[in-house]
Amino acid sequence: MSAPASVGVDAGSTTFKAVAIDGEGRIVASFLEPADPRIEEQAARALASLGAEGGVPAVPVGATGYGRRRVAATRALTEITCHARGAFFRTREPGILVDVGGQDTKVVRVGPGGTVLDFAMNDKCAAGTGRFLEVVLARLRVPPGEVAQYVARASRTVPVTSTCTVFAESEVVSLVARGEPVEDIVKGLHAALASRVASLVGPVPAGARVFMSGGVALNPAMVDALSQALGAPVAVVPDPQLVGALGAALSALEAEAPRT
């Protein structure tokens, strides 16, 4: 592995991500674990894993995510900034970036160079986040790796109308008791979440590119549902879970670069 030029850490609410990049911004190593409340210990373990043991004095470290203030970093940056920067670096295109995280959903309008033109967040209710799917799919005993197959087998979409995750879980229990197939309910869950996210996005201008990042972007059924809700194709940013950490690493690297 090449020696890292900088490291980015995304201490998220459900997963902890970190990347090491070389001087050209290429990811040379990555680290991903479920979030640990002992953030300082997890950050130290990540830095050692990425070959940046010694951390701050050895290479610049950028940190983002909910736990960024507890990471020993040279820079602490907002998630909006880092996701925009990381997504633009991987796609080289401005557009609308949708990040469905475990605790919030972010919609960022990304301009040339990865600048943030505007953004909106849903951080008040879990019903518009990945937590919604996580809770209800667990109640239905649907393995995360088999979600797309369940949706593909659905014969129709069973509406899930509750706008609260707790109430939605109760609604799903009623649907199961009524004899609705699990596959059809799962498809309905995706349609419900996609509808809430699409409301946050708003109308997509003609020709605008829409990208998705975050762990939920690894669920092709959710990507398809969002595309249908928006009436526009949705492209997944490469390594979608690492986009925020990449943006943090790029920002830290840029801050250390000599100014001419």
Side-chain angles (χ1 to χ4, degrees):
M1 183 184 78
S2 304
S6 76
V7 166
V9 172
D10 182 358
S13 59
T14 57
T15 56
F16 185 103
K17 293 82 66 179
V19 299
I21 63 173
D22 65 14
E24 302 300 319
R26 295 181 291 253
I27 296 176
V28 296
S30 62
F31 177 97
L32 192 152
E33 284 185 350
D36 190 319
R38 295 168 287 275
I39 296 173
E40 293 86 350
E41 295 176 19
Q42 192 164 36
R45 190 165 65 251
L47 292 175
S49 169
L50 296 174
E53 194 165 10
V56 175
V59 296
V61 178
T64 189
Y66 283 89
R68 62 183 181 270
R69 305 277 180 205
R70 292 174 58 186
V71 176
T74 47
R75 299 197 76 194
L77 304 119
T78 69
E79 294 170 88
I80 299 294
T81 298
C82 291
H83 279 267
R85 185 83 189 267
F88 184 85
F89 186 84
R90 296 306 302 267
T91 65
R92 300 297 182 185
E93 291 186 82
I96 300 170
L97 176 66
V98 179
D99 178 85
V100 183
Q103 189 162 308
D104 62 32
T105 293
K106 297 175 277 292
V107 176
V108 188
R109 297 186 187 279
V110 182
T115 55
V116 176
L117 302 179
D118 194 11
F119 71 93
M121 288 183 69
N122 166 24
D123 58 359
K124 304 298 183 188
C125 175
T129 73
R131 182 68 178 160
F132 172 77
L133 281 181
E134 183 181 343
V135 169
V136 186
L137 291 176
R139 186 67 179 79
L140 290 170
R141 302 176 69 86
V142 175
E146 298 178 18
V147 172
Q149 292 93 319
Y150 271 75
V151 173
R153 291 197 297 268
S155 58
R156 66 190 183 95
T157 303
V158 173
V160 178
T161 58
S162 298
T163 56
C164 166
T165 297
V166 175
F167 292 154
E169 189 176 3
S170 299
E171 182 180 353
V172 164
V173 170
S174 299
L175 292 171
V176 170
R178 201 171 72 192
E180 296 287 359
V182 171
E183 288 82 354
D184 295 359
I185 299 172
V186 172
K187 188 173 182 180
L189 289 169
H190 283 71
L193 177 57
S195 175
R196 294 186 192 105
V197 175
S199 297
L200 195 63
V201 174
V204 176
R209 295 276 283 151
V210 182
F211 299 98
M212 193 171 176
S213 64
V216 178
L218 295 171
N219 175 354
M222 190 62 229
V223 178
D224 288 344
L226 181 59
S227 179
Q228 291 178 30
L230 291 172
V234 175
V236 177
V237 179
D239 301 315
Q241 286 182 291
L242 304 178
V243 169
L246 174 61
L250 291 168
S251 295
L253 182 63
E254 180 184 73
E256 292 294 312
R259 301 185 184 281
T260 57

